[in-house]
Amino acid sequence: MSESLPAPAAAPVPAPVVVRLSADGPVVRTPGDGMDLLGEAFAGDAEWLLVPAARFGAEFFTLGTRLAGEVTQKFAQYRVGLAVVGDLTAYTGASGALRDFVRESNRGRQLWFLADEAEFDARIDALTGARNGAPDTASRSTP
């Protein structure tokens, strides 16, 4: 009679490095400004960059300018997650296309538009299993 061995425990997923920018700082109005954000992520060895919505000009939320697409494409290309955090109702209420873009982005694992940092932390925890004993995200705050 043979006994079955217990399944090995899954290794915890390490918490991602998150750089959290403050609301004070340059506003993203051009693709170059978006690259500066990506530079902030690289400087902090970040897997995710959390940016307050106030750091994005209205151009970013007007999809016809293509700025959001250009900026987010660079983040995806370099495999850095981007979380835009804050109240976007003024923008999403005026644009069905933006509302759809936000909804679709939030279904993925690369670009999120979230109400606050707590919502971001909950989503990261759900992705990494941090609630199962792994440490919270390793965060660095920068201006």
Side-chain angles (χ1 to χ4, degrees), residues 23 61 74 91:
F61 300 107
K74 287 296 183 187
Y91 298 111

Side-chain angles (χ1 to χ4, degrees), residues 48-122:
W48 277 91
L49 186 67
L50 189 144
V51 185
R55 293 281 299 266
F56 293 93
E59 311 78 347
F60 184 84
F61 300 107
T62 305
L63 295 182
T65 67
R66 306 182 114 186
L67 179 60
E70 289 182 48
V71 170
T72 59
Q73 177 60 35
K74 287 296 183 187
F75 274 80
Q77 183 177 349
Y78 289 100
R79 297 180 187 210
V80 176
L82 175 62
V84 178
V85 177
D87 183 10
L88 302 179
T89 55
Y91 298 111
T92 57
S95 171
L98 179 63
R99 198 169 35 254
D100 293 343
F101 179 68
V102 167
R103 183 177 52 250
E104 290 301 317
S105 296
N106 284 344
R107 289 182 179 168
R109 293 182 177 204
Q110 185 67 45
L111 171 64
W112 296 335
F113 295 90
L114 306 169
D116 54 36
E117 289 191 34
E119 187 177 357
F120 173 81
D121 292 337

